[in-house]
Amino acid sequence: MNYKFVKGSVALAVLAALSGCNISSNDSVAPCTENVCKLTILHTNDTHGRFWHNDKGEYGMAAQKTLVERLRGEAKAAGSEVLVLSGGDVNTGVPESDLQDAEPDFMAMNSIRYDAMAVGNHEFDNPLTILEKQREWAQFPMISANIYDKASGKRYFDPYKVFKLESGLKVAVLGLPPKTPPSWWTPTTSRPWSSAIRPLKRPSSASRSATTKRRTWSWRNRSPGRC
């Protein structure tokens, strides 16, 4: 599977509130030009432990880092803000990663400077102790709006992350796994709390209003081929 950089995901929702687009708390930062803000989102998902390249030279986080740094530099040169996001499923796929609880993958994601990660279903293939270790390793927020601790009824992750970019643009990133657990989850791999995935409630009128304002984004949709 090749890495793909796309502009949308079932696991990630990106909301841009442009009401403050021309207002910055830092007067030295130039506001968005002519009421237009540029935002480039680089997005990966389902990397499944492919930290190393294979014998055909495919995959690998080193190649991904090289590509992300180039695309980030191009976007910045064009006056665009950049967010690097993951739709999750970092876990389960390659023994070299699985046997290390995906620590190499999270270390590489830190080096690439991911901004946020939506929690995928394969993050629950392991016991909670491993998931907690991964949360400690990650230098970026792992988010999910509809996974709850079954005992306490509280959200297990932060539901979203709001980024206040230098241009004054505010971007909310929301993590959402599917409501129905995948069919391949078995009693030996699923957890008591896996059934506590709830449908997300309708957004408040205030949040709907914030996301219906005029907005212009600069999207970059790239497939790097073999990485």
Side-chain angles (χ1 to χ4, degrees):
M1 179 188 69
N2 295 330
Y3 291 114
K4 294 183 180 180
F5 294 81
V6 298
K7 67 179 182 180
S9 167
V10 296
L12 282 168
V14 181
L15 311 175
L18 298 187
S19 56
C21 186
N22 288 318
I23 301 174
S24 173
S25 58
N26 185 348
D27 293 336
S28 65
V29 176
C32 301
T33 305
E34 296 179 355
N35 206 31
V36 174
C37 297
K38 294 183 179 180
L39 173 62
T40 299
I41 294 178
L42 304 179
H43 163 225
T44 63
N45 61 280
D46 294 272
T47 50
H48 288 299
R50 288 177 170 84
F51 175 84
W52 291 273
H53 61 77
N54 63 15
D55 57 0
K56 297 180 181 179
E58 300 170 323
Y59 311 113
M61 290 294 208
Q64 185 188 140
K65 178 178 173 64
T66 299
L67 177 63
V68 168
E69 290 300 324
R70 177 170 64 82
L71 296 179
R72 184 185 275 129
E74 291 176 1
K76 289 287 187 180
S80 175
E81 298 280 10
V82 180
L83 289 176
V84 181
L85 306 175
S86 169
D89 280 2
V90 175
N91 288 274
T92 311
V94 179
E96 292 88 343
S97 173
D98 295 346
L99 293 172
Q100 299 183 74
D101 299 333
E103 182 177 7
D105 306 81
F106 281 93
M107 296 299 103
M109 292 174 75
N110 291 338
S111 179
I112 294 170
R113 292 180 288 143
Y114 273 78
D115 293 293
M117 169 185 160
V119 179
N121 58 280
H122 281 285
E123 271 62 77
F124 298 99
D125 289 349
N126 302 308
L128 274 178
T129 52
I130 293 178
L131 181 58
E132 286 303 315
K133 283 198 302 184
Q134 294 173 346
R135 293 178 77 173
E136 293 177 2
W137 293 333
Q139 296 174 3
F140 46 85
M142 296 171 65
I143 56 177
S144 177
N146 59 339
I147 292 179
Y148 291 77
D149 182 278
K150 200 170 185 179
S152 67
K154 297 180 179 179
R155 282 192 175 96
Y156 199 75
F157 300 91
D158 289 336
Y160 59 87
K161 171 70 176 177
V162 176
F163 295 93
K164 298 180 180 180
L165 306 180
E166 291 184 353
S167 63
L169 179 66
K170 294 181 181 180
V171 180
V173 179
L174 184 71
L176 290 171
K179 178 185 176 183
T180 304
S183 59
W184 60 84
W185 279 7
T186 68
T188 58
T189 59
S190 61
R191 310 298 172 203
W193 33 264
S194 65
S195 61
I197 298 177
R198 305 177 187 174
L200 189 68
K201 295 180 180 179
R202 291 179 61 84
S204 65
S205 58
S207 63
R208 289 199 301 270
S209 175
T211 60
T212 54
K213 297 180 183 297
R214 176 179 179 270
R215 55 194 182 274
T216 301
W217 297 353
S218 172
W219 294 101
R220 182 181 298 272
N221 185 0
R222 294 285 186 89
S223 176
R226 293 184 174 183
C227 288

Coordinates of all heavy atoms in Angstrom, one line a residue, residues 15 17 21 28 33-34 55 86 104 123 149 154 165 171 185 209:
L15 N -12.7 21.5 10.2 CA -13.6 22.6 10.1 C -12.7 23.9 10.2 O -11.9 24.0 11.1 CB -14.6 22.5 11.3 CG -15.3 21.2 11.5 CD1 -16.2 21.3 12.7 CD2 -16.1 20.9 10.2
A17 N -12.8 27.9 10.8 CA -13.6 29.1 11.1 C -12.8 30.3 10.7 O -11.8 30.6 11.2 CB -13.8 29.1 12.7
C21 N -10.2 35.4 10.6 CA -9.1 35.3 9.6 C -8.3 36.5 9.4 O -7.1 36.4 9.2 CB -9.7 34.9 8.2 SG -8.5 34.5 7.0
S28 N 2.7 41.4 14.2 CA 3.8 41.2 13.2 C 3.5 40.2 12.2 O 4.2 40.1 11.2 CB 5.1 40.8 14.0 OG 5.0 39.6 14.6
T33 N -4.5 37.2 2.9 CA -4.5 38.2 1.8 C -5.9 38.3 1.2 O -6.5 37.3 0.8 CB -3.5 37.7 0.7 OG1 -2.2 37.5 1.3 CG2 -3.5 38.8 -0.4
E34 N -6.4 39.5 1.1 CA -7.7 39.9 0.5 C -8.8 38.9 1.0 O -9.6 38.4 0.3 CB -7.6 39.8 -1.0 CG -6.6 40.8 -1.6 CD -6.5 40.7 -3.1 OE1 -7.1 39.8 -3.7 OE2 -5.8 41.6 -3.7
D55 N 11.7 -4.9 0.4 CA 12.8 -5.3 -0.5 C 12.7 -4.7 -1.9 O 13.6 -4.8 -2.7 CB 12.9 -6.8 -0.5 CG 11.6 -7.5 -1.0 OD1 10.6 -6.8 -1.3 OD2 11.6 -8.7 -1.1
S86 N -3.0 12.5 10.5 CA -3.1 11.0 10.3 C -4.5 10.6 10.6 O -5.1 11.0 11.6 CB -2.1 10.3 11.2 OG -2.4 8.9 11.2
P104 N 8.6 2.5 16.8 CA 9.3 3.1 15.7 C 8.4 4.0 14.9 O 8.9 5.1 14.4 CB 9.9 2.0 14.9 CG 9.9 0.8 15.8 CD 8.7 1.0 16.7
E123 N -5.9 0.7 16.4 CA -5.3 1.1 17.6 C -5.8 0.3 18.8 O -5.2 0.3 19.9 CB -5.5 2.6 17.9 CG -4.4 3.5 17.3 CD -4.4 3.4 15.8 OE1 -5.2 4.0 15.1 OE2 -3.4 2.8 15.2
D149 N -15.1 5.7 27.7 CA -14.8 4.7 28.7 C -16.1 4.1 29.3 O -16.9 4.8 29.8 CB -14.0 5.3 29.9 CG -13.6 4.3 30.9 OD1 -14.4 4.0 31.8 OD2 -12.4 3.8 30.9
K154 N -17.0 8.6 30.4 CA -16.3 9.8 29.9 C -15.6 9.5 28.6 O -15.2 8.3 28.4 CB -15.3 10.3 31.0 CG -16.0 10.8 32.3 CD -14.9 11.3 33.2 CE -15.6 11.8 34.5 NZ -14.5 12.2 35.5
L165 N -3.5 29.2 13.7 CA -2.4 29.4 12.8 C -1.9 30.8 12.8 O -2.6 31.7 13.2 CB -2.7 28.9 11.4 CG -3.3 27.4 11.4 CD1 -3.7 27.0 10.0 CD2 -2.4 26.4 12.0
V171 N -8.5 26.4 12.9 CA -8.9 25.2 12.3 C -9.2 24.1 13.4 O -8.3 23.9 14.2 CB -7.8 24.6 11.3 CG1 -8.2 23.3 10.7 CG2 -7.4 25.6 10.3
W185 N -13.2 -7.9 14.1 CA -12.9 -7.9 15.6 C -13.5 -9.2 16.2 O -14.7 -9.5 16.0 CB -13.5 -6.7 16.2 CG -12.7 -5.5 16.1 CD1 -11.6 -5.3 15.3 CD2 -12.9 -4.2 16.7 NE1 -11.1 -4.1 15.5 CE2 -11.9 -3.4 16.3 CE3 -13.9 -3.8 17.6 CZ2 -11.8 -2.0 16.7 CZ3 -13.8 -2.4 18.0 CH2 -12.7 -1.6 17.6
S209 N -22.7 27.7 12.6 CA -22.6 29.0 12.1 C -21.1 29.3 11.7 O -20.8 29.9 10.7 CB -23.1 30.0 13.1 OG -22.9 31.3 12.6

